[in-house]
Amino acid sequence: MKIPYLFLGALLIWGQPILGQIVTSSIDPGLPSETPSAISWRFGSAVAIESTYGERYYVYDAVGTHNIHNSGLFTWQPSQVSIELYSRVNEIIDSVDSSTDTFFETRGSQSYFSIAVRGENRVSVGIIARQNEQTSPLTFSESSFGGSFSARVFDGLFMAVGLERVSSSGTGFETVRWEETKSGIAYLVGDPFSTMLRIELGVSSSPEVKDDVLKIRNQTKMVSKGEIELLLANYLFSFRGKIKDLGSGTNAETTRSARFGIGYRGTSFSLVYYFDYGEEEINSKIFSESKYLFNISYSFM
Amino acid sequence: MLSSGDLHAQVVSPSLDPTENVIIPAASGWRRSASVGIEYLEGDGTRKNDFSTIYDLHSSGLAGNIAFNLSKFYFEGSYNSTTTNTTPDPSDDSINLETTENLVSLVLFGNDFFLIGMGSHSRTTEDFIPTIADHLKSERSGMIGSISVAIGESFKVGGAVERIKETSSHKVDNNWLDTTFGLSAEFGSPGGVLIRMEASSTSSAKSNKEASAELLSNNHPEVAIIRTNLEIMFSGLLFAYENITKSYSVESSDFLANENQMGVLWVPPDGLVLGFYFANQSKEKTGANKSAEYTQANSAFSIKLGQVF
């Protein structure tokens, strides 16, 4: 199990709020936001619960369908100030041990708190505090805080930039720190309660970080994603493509995933189902993953 | 606030970030509103000599600022504390481990064109000093007298004199004079686009005190600090930039420290203020004893929450 230690940082990143929005919040009120300023562009307050199931497979190993995580989201937007609380518990990630080409189980949890202020319906500034815990096979804690701002450049065109500072610590390991940058553009047009189109392109990146014994604790990371959501007569259709490059040289791995969503987005209740298929390429070997996500939310105010 | 050395602050007029403190007390009188703010920072850095890393520096800090007025009486108080976590190296130069700075400002007299203010300033530091292989605790305290004058609607000039006294655990007492001058300009109107610029200079006089029978000598070098600021605010969104350069000499070595700070904040006429700052700092030897290999570089990031009343 040499790879698990090498990839400790990556494990949590694999499980980070991968559905998160960088520039503006999703039309689906139950999805979390990756940057704090994005919550200012929500269409009201909401409470949501989500459950994700998934399976992984490779030529020599497979993990059957099981619950990957459950999460809860509360977002409150009484005025120009918005806050968002998100918690994902009992997360089980099936990571790849590339020395044996098999999967091993990693457990953890994630949560964050965001607060943002929207000004004149044109700009937003927010700050975030995030806590990720990995409880198995080793205990690691990743805490971070950061800020972001976004601006409506034209009528429906938004841009955002954010920075998050991460501290990673574990029993018997040196605490290491790094900064993660996020940026993106988004286009929104229409009415969020009937017909709307939303397109977003986002990028996040972080550098390689080694600890005092020169072990890689955070690999070079670059995540690019594009997302399109279409709301037609309260029915929501969405697609998101994502490419994540981790590490370099012999440690390099690339994950490509496509997520499709379909559901109902009402003025109060929303129910959206997502199917996410991904392929993780390590040393020219492809490890596949399928995820099934159910999101129920209630919007108010 | 991102520096562990010198206060990040405005000199002649208050920042468009109302939770940022001012250095010369008279400038508090130009504030438009009462405010309170807190800030948390984390930073990392290294000190390298001959291409090898001597220090890995990890710092964290907390700052707070409150400003209000009762009629013509303006009060401002600020607190700034930074702790650096590292393993002291007896073979290298001194390293700062902890700095706490307090500043209380009062505007005693003023009208729309002229302000007189005074302040009380204290700064406690804990440094590791290789020559004594021990931690040196120092406390500086000073009283500040200052004036600030408005020239037209857009310009302000100001100056301050601070008499500083230093006491420490291992050195004899010392005292010296800091003088600060600055010019600021502000264009636009609140609610629209607002641009503010400021440039200031602080010079600290050299003062050497001989060692006593029990205590070491205390040599304060001549120090020159130049601060420049550019702030742009529109739709309540503030972009703030500050550069600080500090030059001084210690034991025939010239040092130049440079710092750039940028911030993005939401600043309403009243209500919640929040945002973040990031900064890069560097320090190197210059002059005749220049050592290209000796560098100290830090980066820091902070988040800020405040309220304007």
Side-chain angles (χ1 to χ4, degrees):
Chain A
M1 294 275 283
K2 64 173 183 179
I3 295 303
Y5 173 73
L6 193 66
F7 279 57
L8 280 171
L11 294 178
L12 284 171
I13 290 165
W14 172 257
Q16 270 199 356
I18 50 176
L19 303 174
Q21 318 299 318
I22 289 177
V23 187
T24 61
S25 289
S26 168
I27 297 174
D28 177 1
L31 290 186
S33 302
E34 196 165 326
T35 59
S37 57
I39 67 174
S40 284
W41 309 114
R42 284 192 175 276
F43 308 104
S45 306
V47 58
I49 55 171
E50 169 256 350
S51 190
T52 296
Y53 290 78
E55 59 204 26
R56 297 208 74 177
Y57 20 87
Y58 180 60
V59 179
Y60 306 115
D61 195 15
V63 179
T65 305
H66 64 92
N67 180 242
I68 292 180
H69 65 251
N70 301 307
S71 70
L73 174 79
F74 174 67
T75 182
W76 190 46
Q77 197 173 45
S79 58
Q80 292 180 319
V81 179
S82 303
I83 64 168
E84 188 163 301
L85 279 162
Y86 177 80
S87 178
R88 178 187 288 188
V89 295
N90 298 327
E91 186 168 37
I92 300 172
I93 304 164
D94 300 306
S95 300
V96 176
D97 181 350
S98 62
S99 62
T100 58
D101 292 341
T102 57
F103 298 107
F104 68 97
E105 193 176 276
T106 306
R107 290 174 179 266
S109 62
Q110 303 180 45
S111 57
Y112 70 75
F113 170 74
S114 293
I115 181 168
V117 182
R118 187 184 69 237
E120 298 179 6
N121 218 19
R122 289 176 59 191
V123 297
S124 166
V125 180
I127 55 177
I128 186 170
R130 195 190 299 272
Q131 184 72 30
N132 296 345
E133 300 285 344
Q134 183 179 298
T135 55
S136 171
L138 294 173
T139 304
F140 263 79
S141 176
E142 215 176 76
S143 61
S144 63
F145 70 100
S148 69
F149 79 95
S150 56
R152 186 197 294 263
V153 185
F154 297 109
D155 266 358
L157 187 65
F158 296 76
M159 54 155 284
V161 176
L163 192 67
E164 208 164 316
R165 186 177 166 78
V166 186
S167 298
S168 172
S169 58
T171 307
F173 293 94
E174 182 200 14
T175 300
V176 293
R177 302 165 183 85
W178 65 87
E179 281 166 358
E180 188 164 329
T181 56
K182 303 164 192 216
S183 60
I185 57 170
Y187 181 70
L188 270 175
V189 61
D191 180 351
F193 299 103
S194 59
T195 301
M196 176 170 247
L197 173 68
R198 176 180 169 275
I199 301 170
E200 179 170 315
L201 299 172
V203 177
S204 63
S205 63
S206 62
E208 180 180 279
V209 179
K210 294 178 179 176
D211 61 16
D212 53 359
V213 290
L214 300 179
K215 290 286 187 184
I216 297 173
R217 294 278 295 282
N218 184 64
Q219 292 191 306
T220 307
K221 186 184 76 167
M222 169 68 79
V223 180
S224 310
K225 54 190 174 185
E227 186 170 9
I228 181 165
E229 292 179 317
L230 180 63
L231 185 70
L232 284 174
N234 294 116
Y235 287 97
L236 178 64
F237 305 90
S238 83
F239 170 77
R240 187 198 64 193
K242 189 176 78 170
I243 300 173
K244 181 170 73 174
D245 291 309
L246 272 179
S248 58
T250 54
N251 292 329
E253 66 169 85
T254 301
T255 303
R256 301 175 191 86
S257 65
R259 190 194 68 187
F260 303 88
I262 185 168
Y264 176 77
R265 202 269 194 221
T267 51
S268 297
F269 282 100
S270 299
L271 172 61
V272 185
Y273 165 73
Y274 294 93
F275 170 68
D276 193 327
Y277 176 76
E279 291 185 343
E280 190 178 3
E281 183 179 344
I282 304 173
N283 297 329
S284 302
K285 297 168 186 169
I286 304 294
F287 301 85
S288 304
E289 180 178 51
S290 295
K291 288 182 188 173
Y292 318 97
L293 188 154
F294 305 89
N295 208 336
I296 302 171
S297 59
Y298 175 72
S299 302
F300 57 101
M301 289 172 69
Chain B
M1 169 266 174
L2 290 170
S3 168
S4 62
D6 302 285
L7 274 176
H8 260 270
Q10 309 304 310
V11 176
V12 185
S13 61
S15 166
L16 299 180
D17 169 8
T19 62
E20 191 85 2
N21 62 320
V22 293
I23 286 182
I24 70 169
S28 292
W30 302 122
R31 286 191 178 275
R32 296 186 176 97
S33 54
S35 65
V36 61
I38 56 169
E39 186 176 9
Y40 173 75
L41 89 84
E42 282 191 7
D44 287 311
T46 56
R47 180 186 287 180
K48 294 183 176 180
N49 201 356
D50 288 335
F51 303 107
S52 63
T53 300
I54 306 164
Y55 280 115
D56 279 317
L57 307 164
H58 306 295
S59 56
S60 61
L62 196 63
N65 192 70
I66 182 169
F68 62 88
N69 71 296
L70 299 167
S71 185
K72 294 280 187 182
F73 175 81
Y74 286 83
F75 171 87
E76 182 168 336
S78 64
Y79 166 84
N80 181 357
S81 177
T82 308
T83 302
T84 300
N85 185 15
T86 191
T87 306
D89 186 338
S91 66
D92 194 60
D93 293 340
S94 63
I95 187 87
N96 176 257
L97 302 173
E98 195 172 327
T99 299
T100 301
E101 199 155 9
N102 295 290
L103 182 63
V104 175
S105 299
L106 300 171
V107 175
L108 304 172
F109 169 80
N111 54 36
D112 292 342
F113 306 101
F114 181 73
L115 295 168
I116 296 177
M118 63 174 292
S120 171
H121 186 197
S122 71
R123 179 177 172 181
T124 58
T125 56
E126 182 176 338
D127 300 83
F128 177 76
I129 308 293
T131 52
I132 58 174
D134 199 359
H135 289 220
L136 174 76
K137 294 182 179 178
S138 301
E139 181 171 357
R140 293 178 184 179
S141 58
M143 295 297 292
I144 312 170
S146 65
I147 59 168
S148 187
V149 179
I151 303 172
E153 290 188 355
S154 299
F155 295 92
K156 291 179 177 69
V157 295
V161 177
E162 180 179 3
R163 181 74 177 169
I164 297 171
K165 181 182 180 184
E166 182 179 83
T167 59
S168 74
S169 55
H170 293 71
K171 295 181 178 180
V172 295
D173 292 353
N174 199 351
N175 53 72
W176 62 87
L177 209 61
D178 277 6
T179 52
T180 298
F181 296 97
L183 167 70
S184 75
E186 190 174 305
F187 304 99
S189 59
V193 176
L194 207 52
I195 299 173
R196 181 182 167 278
M197 294 171 282
E198 182 175 292
S200 69
S201 167
T202 298
S203 60
S204 186
K206 182 179 180 178
S207 176
N208 293 340
K209 301 293 182 187
E210 297 294 327
S212 68
E214 296 84 21
L215 296 169
L216 301 169
S217 62
N218 190 335
N219 300 322
H220 174 71
E222 185 177 343
V223 181
I225 299 171
I226 295 174
R227 294 180 173 87
T228 52
N229 297 79
L230 175 63
E231 298 177 326
I232 300 172
M233 189 160 81
F234 56 91
S235 301
L237 190 65
L238 170 64
F239 294 90
Y241 169 77
E242 180 172 30
N243 173 264
I244 300 177
T245 59
K246 178 180 178 181
S247 55
Y248 59 99
S249 300
V250 178
E251 294 171 357
S252 74
S253 292
D254 297 331
F255 288 88
L256 177 66
N258 187 60
E259 179 169 345
N260 290 294
Q261 175 182 282
M262 284 194 69
V264 182
L265 296 103
W266 164 250
V267 183
D270 59 82
L272 184 71
V273 174
L274 87 171
F276 54 96
Y277 284 92
F278 49 96
N280 288 302
Q281 306 159 330
S282 66
K283 189 170 88 170
E284 59 183 8
K285 283 184 181 175
T286 59
N289 292 315
K290 177 178 179 178
S291 170
E293 295 78 25
Y294 183 94
T295 56
Q296 182 171 319
N298 299 61
S299 65
F301 180 71
S302 73
I303 54 175
K304 179 176 269 190
L305 264 176
Q307 180 80 22
V308 180
F309 303 97

Coordinates of all heavy atoms in Angstrom, one line a residue, chain A residues 10-42:
Chain A
A10 N -4.9 13.6 -2.3 CA -5.7 13.4 -3.5 C -7.0 12.7 -3.1 O -8.1 13.0 -3.7 CB -5.0 12.6 -4.6
L11 N -7.0 11.9 -2.1 CA -8.2 11.2 -1.8 C -9.3 12.1 -1.4 O -10.5 12.0 -1.7 CB -7.9 10.2 -0.6 CG -7.0 9.1 -1.0 CD1 -6.7 8.2 0.3 CD2 -7.5 8.2 -2.1
L12 N -9.0 13.1 -0.6 CA -10.0 14.0 -0.1 C -10.5 14.9 -1.3 O -11.6 15.2 -1.4 CB -9.5 14.9 1.0 CG -9.4 14.2 2.3 CD1 -8.7 15.1 3.3 CD2 -10.8 13.9 2.9
I13 N -9.5 15.2 -2.2 CA -9.9 16.0 -3.3 C -10.9 15.2 -4.2 O -11.8 15.8 -4.8 CB -8.7 16.5 -4.1 CG1 -7.9 17.5 -3.2 CG2 -9.0 17.1 -5.4 CD1 -6.5 17.7 -3.6
W14 N -10.6 13.9 -4.3 CA -11.5 13.1 -5.2 C -12.9 13.2 -4.6 O -13.9 13.2 -5.4 CB -11.0 11.6 -5.1 CG -12.0 10.7 -5.7 CD1 -12.8 9.8 -5.1 CD2 -12.2 10.5 -7.1 NE1 -13.5 9.1 -6.0 CE2 -13.2 9.5 -7.3 CE3 -11.6 11.0 -8.3 CZ2 -13.6 9.0 -8.5 CZ3 -12.1 10.6 -9.5 CH2 -13.0 9.6 -9.6
G15 N -13.0 13.4 -3.3 CA -14.4 13.4 -2.7 C -14.8 14.8 -2.5 O -15.9 15.0 -1.9
Q16 N -14.1 15.9 -2.8 CA -14.5 17.2 -2.5 C -15.8 17.5 -3.3 O -16.3 16.8 -4.1 CB -13.5 18.2 -3.0 CG -12.5 18.5 -1.9 CD -11.7 19.8 -2.1 OE1 -11.9 20.4 -3.1 NE2 -10.9 20.1 -1.2
P17 N -16.5 18.6 -2.9 CA -17.8 18.9 -3.5 C -17.7 19.0 -5.0 O -17.6 20.1 -5.6 CB -18.1 20.3 -2.9 CG -17.4 20.3 -1.6 CD -16.1 19.6 -1.9
I18 N -17.6 17.9 -5.6 CA -17.4 17.8 -7.1 C -18.5 18.4 -7.9 O -18.4 18.7 -9.0 CB -17.1 16.4 -7.5 CG1 -18.1 15.5 -7.0 CG2 -15.7 15.9 -7.1 CD1 -18.0 14.0 -7.5
L19 N -19.6 18.6 -7.2 CA -20.8 19.2 -7.9 C -20.8 20.7 -7.7 O -21.7 21.4 -8.2 CB -22.1 18.6 -7.4 CG -22.2 17.1 -7.4 CD1 -23.5 16.6 -6.7 CD2 -22.2 16.6 -8.9
G20 N -19.8 21.2 -7.0 CA -19.8 22.6 -6.7 C -19.7 23.5 -7.8 O -19.1 23.3 -8.9
Q21 N -20.4 24.7 -7.7 CA -20.4 25.7 -8.7 C -19.4 26.8 -8.3 O -19.2 27.1 -7.1 CB -21.8 26.3 -8.8 CG -22.9 25.3 -8.8 CD -22.9 24.3 -9.9 OE1 -22.6 24.7 -11.0 NE2 -23.1 23.1 -9.6
I22 N -18.7 27.3 -9.3 CA -17.7 28.3 -9.0 C -18.2 29.7 -9.2 O -17.9 30.6 -8.4 CB -16.4 28.1 -9.9 CG1 -15.7 26.8 -9.5 CG2 -15.5 29.3 -9.9 CD1 -14.5 26.4 -10.3
V23 N -19.0 30.0 -10.2 CA -19.3 31.4 -10.6 C -20.7 31.7 -10.0 O -20.9 32.7 -9.3 CB -19.3 31.6 -12.1 CG1 -19.5 33.1 -12.4 CG2 -17.9 31.2 -12.6
T24 N -21.7 30.9 -10.4 CA -23.1 31.1 -10.0 C -23.6 29.8 -9.5 O -23.2 28.7 -10.0 CB -24.0 31.7 -11.1 OG1 -24.0 30.7 -12.2 CG2 -23.5 33.0 -11.6
S25 N -24.6 29.8 -8.6 CA -25.2 28.6 -8.1 C -26.0 27.9 -9.2 O -26.5 28.5 -10.1 CB -26.0 28.9 -6.9 OG -25.2 29.2 -5.8
S26 N -26.1 26.6 -9.0 CA -26.9 25.8 -10.0 C -28.4 26.2 -10.0 O -28.9 26.8 -9.0 CB -26.8 24.3 -9.6 OG -27.7 23.5 -10.3
I27 N -29.0 25.9 -11.1 CA -30.5 26.1 -11.1 C -31.2 25.1 -10.1 O -32.2 25.4 -9.5 CB -31.1 25.9 -12.5 CG1 -30.4 27.0 -13.5 CG2 -32.6 26.0 -12.5 CD1 -30.8 26.8 -14.9
D28 N -30.5 24.0 -9.9 CA -31.0 23.0 -8.9 C -30.7 23.6 -7.6 O -29.5 23.6 -7.2 CB -30.3 21.7 -9.2 CG -30.7 20.6 -8.1 OD1 -31.5 21.0 -7.2 OD2 -30.2 19.5 -8.2
P29 N -31.7 23.9 -6.8 CA -31.3 24.6 -5.5 C -30.7 23.7 -4.5 O -30.2 24.1 -3.4 CB -32.7 25.0 -4.9 CG -33.7 24.2 -5.7 CD -33.1 23.8 -7.0
G30 N -30.6 22.4 -4.8 CA -30.0 21.4 -3.8 C -28.6 21.2 -4.0 O -28.0 20.4 -3.2
L31 N -27.9 21.8 -5.0 CA -26.5 21.5 -5.2 C -25.7 22.6 -4.5 O -26.0 23.7 -4.4 CB -26.2 21.6 -6.7 CG -26.7 20.5 -7.6 CD1 -26.2 20.6 -9.0 CD2 -26.3 19.1 -7.0
P32 N -24.5 22.1 -3.9 CA -23.7 23.1 -3.2 C -22.9 24.0 -4.1 O -22.8 23.7 -5.3 CB -22.8 22.1 -2.4 CG -22.7 20.9 -3.3 CD -24.0 20.8 -3.9
S33 N -22.3 25.0 -3.5 CA -21.4 25.9 -4.3 C -20.0 25.8 -3.8 O -19.7 25.7 -2.6 CB -21.9 27.4 -4.1 OG -23.3 27.5 -4.4
E34 N -19.1 25.8 -4.8 CA -17.7 25.6 -4.4 C -17.0 26.9 -3.9 O -16.1 26.9 -3.1 CB -16.9 25.1 -5.7 CG -15.6 24.5 -5.4 CD -15.1 23.7 -6.5 OE1 -15.9 23.1 -7.3 OE2 -13.9 23.7 -6.8
T35 N -17.4 28.0 -4.5 CA -16.9 29.3 -4.0 C -18.0 30.0 -3.2 O -19.2 30.0 -3.6 CB -16.4 30.2 -5.1 OG1 -17.5 30.4 -6.0 CG2 -15.3 29.5 -5.9
P36 N -17.6 30.8 -2.2 CA -18.6 31.5 -1.4 C -19.4 32.6 -2.1 O -20.6 32.7 -1.9 CB -17.8 32.1 -0.2 CG -16.4 32.2 -0.7 CD -16.2 31.0 -1.7
S37 N -18.8 33.3 -3.1 CA -19.5 34.3 -3.7 C -20.6 33.8 -4.6 O -21.6 34.5 -4.9 CB -18.5 35.2 -4.6 OG -17.8 34.4 -5.5
A38 N -20.5 32.5 -5.0 CA -21.5 32.0 -5.9 C -22.9 31.9 -5.2 O -23.9 31.9 -5.9 CB -21.1 30.6 -6.4
I39 N -22.9 31.8 -3.9 CA -24.2 31.6 -3.2 C -25.0 32.9 -3.3 O -26.2 32.8 -3.1 CB -24.0 31.2 -1.8 CG1 -23.4 32.2 -0.9 CG2 -23.2 29.9 -1.7 CD1 -23.3 31.9 0.6
S40 N -24.4 34.0 -3.6 CA -25.2 35.2 -3.7 C -26.1 35.2 -4.9 O -27.1 35.9 -4.9 CB -24.2 36.4 -3.9 OG -23.6 36.8 -2.7
W41 N -25.8 34.4 -5.9 CA -26.6 34.3 -7.1 C -27.7 33.2 -7.0 O -28.3 32.9 -8.0 CB -25.7 34.1 -8.3 CG -24.6 35.1 -8.4 CD1 -23.3 34.9 -8.2 CD2 -24.7 36.6 -8.5 NE1 -22.5 36.0 -8.3 CE2 -23.4 37.1 -8.4 CE3 -25.8 37.5 -8.6 CZ2 -23.1 38.4 -8.5 CZ3 -25.5 38.8 -8.7 CH2 -24.2 39.3 -8.7
R42 N -27.9 32.7 -5.8 CA -29.0 31.7 -5.7 C -30.4 32.5 -5.8 O -30.4 33.7 -5.7 CB -28.9 31.1 -4.3 CG -27.9 30.0 -4.2 CD -28.1 29.2 -2.9 NE -27.1 28.1 -2.8 CZ -27.3 26.9 -3.4 NH1 -28.4 26.7 -4.1 NH2 -26.4 25.9 -3.3

